Structure formats: C-alpha cells, structure tokens
Amino acid sequence: MPGAIAGVEGDVRAPVTTSASARASDPMVAWLDDADVERDRIGGKAASLNRLAAFGFRIPPGFCLTTDAFVIQAAGLPGSAILRADPSALLDPSTRVGLVEAMVAGPLSPAVARGLAGPLARLVGHHLGESAEPPLLAVRSSSVAEDGATASYAGLHDTELGLTADEVAPAVLRCWASLWSERAVGYRAGRGLPLDGDAMAVVVQALVPAQAAAIVFTRHPVSGRPDQLLINAAPNLGEAMVSGLVTPDTIVVDKARRTVVEFTPGDSGGGPVLADDVREELVTLCLEVERTFGAPVDVEAALAADGWYLLQARPITTP
C-alpha cells in the first residue's frame, strides 16, 4: 500500500537517500538526508525535510544551498555593507528595492556557481518514482527563521516549480531576494523579529509528478479542535491551492475513528480529489508525523503514481 507507515500497514516509509559518495563536501551544499547539518546553515524548510527523512518519511530527493552560499553572494551586492551595519536600513524602500534588484540581476558568483553545478547534475540524473524521464525541479526558499514554533513565514518567501536545470540559478537568486521582499520585511517588523532575516538557504528538489496535492492540519485550524484533522486537497501540483487560485476540497476527519465528519467540494468538478483509500493513507501518514514531532503539524504532501511524498511539515503556530 503506497504511503503506508512502518508498523501500521506494511513498511514502505523508506526515505529517498543519497549515497555517501554522492554527498558534496562543499560547505555550500547539504543533501536533504544529511541529519548532521546545522539548522542555521540550511534554514527551517530544509531542516524540516531533513527531520522527516531522519524519521524515515519519504521526501523528494534534493539538496540545499546553505547560508554559506547566500553570504558569499550577498557580500558582493551594492548596499550590503549598509545592511550589515544597520539592518533597519531595510525599512527604507529605496534601500530594500535596490538590494532586491541587485540580487535578482545576478549572476551567481563564480564560487557559488561551481558549488551548485555538481549537485544539480547528480539530481537531474535521478529518476523519481516510476518516471523514466529526468525530473523537473522545485526551488524553494528556506530562511533561517521560518517554520519555527513561534513564526512560520508561510508563503512569504519564493517557491518556483517545474524548472529545468538551466532555470535553477536565476530561481535561486529570486529566492534569496525574497528575503527582502516588502511582505517579508513587514512580517518581521510587525513581530519584532530580526529585519534582515539572518540569512537564506535554498532547497533544490526533484518535482513530484503529482496526481494530487494536499495540505493537512493535524489540529483543526479554525475551531482549534485537537480531535479533528483538516485536509485541503486539489488535483495536480499544490501551488495553485497554496496561492488561492483554486478552491480545494475541504475534508474534516475525526482523528480517533478516522471517519469523515464534513466534506466541502472544491472546484475540480470531478468528484472528490482523493479516493477513500488514498485519503486514509494520508491521514495515517500525517498522524504519524504528528506523533513523531510531538506536536500538531501543518503538512504539505504530493501524491504520485507510487504513493505520497512529504514536501514539508512544520509546527502549527496559531492558537
């Protein structure tokens, strides 16, 4: 049964791993199944993926450009010295916009470009699941501060999907620049967090060829009921759902009985996005993540032909 949990209904929870010989020794790169790398070098999203892999959950293969790469790139930007001396300079729109534009313009520094080339070539050579084709790629921001117990930064930093290898470097630059977006700086200022955001790592992964995507809250996000789990599900990739471009199915599940207590159809128009058995596998999987993390979690998952892949799991920070 694809997506089942070890010790529950078969043992198919094995992670996608990278051999030791394929690991990068460059401090700018950390593979996502490397449990030894520090969180402040890979950011919250990559740390969450590492934690999932360490506990045996299946994630798409990939690597992280660490904050070392960001520091090298940012050091060459006009205005970077001002920011290092006084992070409140980001509250000045012209300073902030100048940094964003300089970062996006690139190009990657030679050292970062060299560090990226080898891992990217190895990742493109990895065939995901049952696919015979090289994967398209996902590039996701992973700031040091995000996905923590008190602030999630959900949706504030860039994610780009469906990229070829040649499109990764410009996407990395845009992800780095999103650390200084108006929304991200405003979020930090409003919560008394460091304005510069410390640093930004970037996750590069194989893109799951998704039949469906789901966002799962293991505590009801509206009522706060801990005995109910809520699923939002939509066909294909989940980015349109996350961005609010499509209305997903909404499913409320009683956690103890594993029964659906409420179903609100989305706009897919073809009946429920998730068949009963697929939904049950997802519920079992997310409750195991909650048990493993020891707290209610917000989980993003993608359903491929060979079962569920976990894309993210972070603590639910709202009351």
Side-chain angles (χ1 to χ4, degrees), residues 80-299:
S80 62
I82 296 173
L83 180 59
R84 287 195 298 272
D86 181 14
S88 68
L90 284 171
L91 297 176
D92 172 51
S94 62
T95 300
R96 185 189 60 76
V97 171
L99 283 165
V100 168
E101 291 178 348
M103 180 66 87
V104 170
L108 287 180
S109 78
V112 176
R114 288 192 299 271
L116 175 63
L120 185 57
R122 286 194 290 272
L123 181 59
V124 170
H126 184 105
H127 292 207
L128 187 64
E130 299 177 354
S131 174
E133 300 296 325
L136 292 174
L137 303 170
V139 176
R140 306 175 189 273
S141 304
S142 181
S143 84
V144 170
E146 74 181 66
D147 293 353
T150 59
S152 74
Y153 289 74
L156 288 182
H157 302 132
D158 278 12
T159 288
E160 300 195 20
L161 306 178
L163 305 179
T164 64
D166 291 340
E167 295 170 317
V168 167
V172 167
L173 291 167
R174 290 189 290 270
C175 284
W176 280 335
S178 71
L179 182 69
W180 302 318
S181 71
E182 183 177 4
R183 286 194 310 154
V185 171
Y187 181 92
R188 292 194 291 271
R191 287 160 177 78
L193 301 169
L195 286 176
D196 60 357
D198 297 320
M200 176 78 80
V202 177
V203 171
V204 182
Q205 286 180 287
L207 182 68
V208 177
Q211 301 169 354
I215 300 172
V216 182
F217 299 87
T218 63
R219 182 184 67 206
H220 198 295
V222 179
S223 69
R225 290 183 58 165
D227 61 326
Q228 290 185 341
L229 172 150
L230 185 140
I231 303 170
N232 288 325
N236 306 315
L237 295 172
E239 192 62 19
M241 174 173 56
V242 171
S243 303
L245 300 177
V246 300
T247 301
D249 288 357
T250 299
I251 311 160
V252 179
V253 175
D254 181 281
K255 290 166 69 172
R257 299 195 302 269
R258 310 290 177 90
T259 55
V260 174
V261 297
E262 182 180 336
F263 175 79
T264 305
D267 55 16
S268 64
V273 172
L274 303 181
D276 290 349
D277 59 336
V278 171
R279 183 196 68 244
E280 290 167 5
E281 291 168 6
L282 178 63
V283 169
T284 298
L285 182 61
C286 291
L287 291 179
E288 179 69 3
V289 175
E290 179 184 60
R291 186 198 65 77
T292 303
F293 278 37
V297 287
D298 164 6
V299 177

Side-chain angles (χ1 to χ4, degrees), residues 16-18 31-32 59-63 123 126 128 204-207 309:
V16 179
T17 58
T18 306
W31 288 92
L32 290 178
I59 65 171
F63 61 89
L123 181 59
H126 184 105
L128 187 64
V204 182
Q205 286 180 287
L207 182 68
Y309 287 81

